[in-house]
Amino acid sequence: MSSPYSDAWTVPERLALLPDSAAVRALKPEVLCGSAALPSQKLDGAAKLISGAPLRWRTEPLRELFDIAMERYAEASPAASDAWLAPRLHAALRLTRREAGDGALWNYMALRVAPDYVLWRWLGSPTAKTPKPSVNPRRFVGPFHVQAIARLWWAAEIFRDGADYRPVEAAGGNQEMFNSALRLEIFLHRPTAQTMIRMLRDGTVDSTRAANGLIKAVNAAGSTVQFELIAQDEPLDAEARRHWITDLAYAAPVPHDVLPQGPEDGSTPYMSTLALLPLFQEMFSSALIRGKDSTDEGD
């Protein structure tokens, strides 16, 4: 299906904040199924420009990343683009966590900067059961772990290890990390997140089913076991984060073929990850046994 976003549709030069109410009104059924474009002028009229340094809020470098992702992964599953796009979006859109917590920013990005990307990533192909698929409106206007663009930025924020985006790339290679782990508060504890990713990277957790089993086990155990006492974390360096944001004025464009560098605000303590690893391995062993049993029973 051809995109309704033709040459007549233009991307705004700067980001803005779009209230939920205006965004939801624009998400007509024909928009969600990809047969009609969003009303850009009405949306811009309802949006509020972000004050402050204009360089931080340019849309051009962000739009370029969405275009490249859709081009690079045109022949693959759109989900495969997450691992490439998440760290680069985070490096290009340098935000504080407070700024990233404003859903109005992500509304504007999804409805005005990259609605074609949202459709490409989440629309799916027609089937006999669903001859006319549509995108869940929560992919445009929804919580951070569901909204199409917010989930990428927050996945990079939560799964990075200081300036190192390699854990984000590893997490993006297993959709359960973005779909299930991202929504759980326990993964805000960096040693927990990095221990899980270590098991992904070394091949211990090698499928979405295995990841789902471990995520559930870790989350269940986290309600009774104080992971913070077993594996202490260090607070992030807020000053380093501010420098990283300010340095955007002097930073080179985000690279496409190598990973960018994130904020130098502190790595996860290695010994804390090491302390959690045997516990997680034990949980994973139990999770695999349960999975094997259900498979044998034909579930």
Side-chain angles (χ1 to χ4, degrees):
M1 179 173 59
S2 61
S3 172
Y5 297 96
S6 64
D7 293 339
W9 177 78
T10 58
V11 178
E13 294 183 359
R14 288 186 59 183
L15 291 174
L17 303 177
L18 181 66
D20 286 354
S21 56
V24 170
R25 283 197 302 269
L27 294 174
K28 307 297 185 185
E30 57 270 23
V31 169
L32 295 173
C33 72
S35 62
L38 284 152
S40 58
Q41 291 185 345
K42 287 185 178 180
L43 293 171
D44 286 340
K48 178 182 178 182
L49 286 176
I50 304 173
S51 60
L55 186 65
R56 286 187 66 199
W57 310 115
R58 290 184 306 146
T59 62
E60 182 181 1
L62 308 174
R63 181 64 227 191
E64 180 183 25
L65 292 176
F66 292 118
D67 286 337
I68 292 171
M70 290 188 285
E71 180 181 349
R72 285 193 173 208
Y73 295 91
E75 303 300 325
S77 165
S81 68
D82 287 355
W84 183 89
L85 186 52
R88 290 167 177 85
L89 176 66
H90 187 274
L93 184 58
R94 301 188 181 191
L95 304 172
T96 65
R97 287 193 174 188
R98 177 176 292 184
E99 289 169 336
D102 190 345
L105 173 67
W106 305 115
N107 292 346
Y108 193 78
M109 287 193 67
L111 276 74
R112 281 295 287 119
V113 178
D116 53 336
Y117 161 78
V118 180
L119 289 168
W120 173 81
R121 174 63 179 86
W122 293 104
L123 183 59
S125 300
T127 64
K129 186 176 181 180
T130 312
K132 194 172 184 179
S134 65
V135 174
N136 187 323
R138 281 158 51 98
R139 296 300 181 185
F140 283 97
V141 183
F144 77 92
H145 56 271
V146 175
Q147 204 267 3
I149 301 174
R151 69 188 285 275
L152 296 173
W153 193 96
W154 276 103
E157 174 66 14
I158 290 172
F159 296 130
R160 69 183 174 89
D161 191 13
D164 186 1
Y165 285 120
R166 288 177 297 176
V168 182
E169 195 172 50
N174 190 305
Q175 282 295 301
E176 282 304 307
M177 294 299 290
F178 279 30
N179 295 339
S180 298
L182 188 60
R183 70 185 64 202
L184 299 176
E185 186 175 351
I186 195 168
F187 284 93
L188 293 174
H189 180 239
R190 294 194 302 160
T192 295
Q194 293 304 317
T195 302
M196 179 82 186
I197 289 170
R198 175 172 177 164
M199 296 174 71
L200 285 171
R201 294 174 72 177
D202 69 13
T204 302
V205 178
D206 60 358
S207 68
T208 55
R209 182 176 183 180
N212 181 266
L214 181 56
I215 289 167
K216 288 181 177 178
V218 168
N219 189 52
S223 63
T224 57
V225 178
Q226 295 293 320
F227 291 154
E228 294 87 349
L229 298 180
I230 300 171
Q232 294 186 358
D233 196 7
E234 298 291 337
L236 293 171
D237 186 340
E239 187 65 23
R241 178 65 162 255
R242 284 192 290 269
H243 283 311
W244 179 68
I245 292 173
T246 303
D247 285 347
L248 178 63
Y250 311 102
V254 172
H256 300 159
D257 298 315
V258 296
L259 284 171
Q261 291 291 305
E264 299 275 1
D265 56 358
S267 300
T268 308
Y270 174 74
M271 295 305 296
S272 293
T273 303
L274 205 61
L276 284 179
L277 187 59
L279 177 60
F280 280 26
Q281 288 172 333
E282 182 179 351
M283 294 179 192
F284 183 57
S285 177
S286 299
L288 283 182
I289 291 171
R290 288 195 297 272
K292 183 176 184 300
D293 289 345
S294 64
T295 300
D296 291 344
E297 292 168 3
D299 291 346

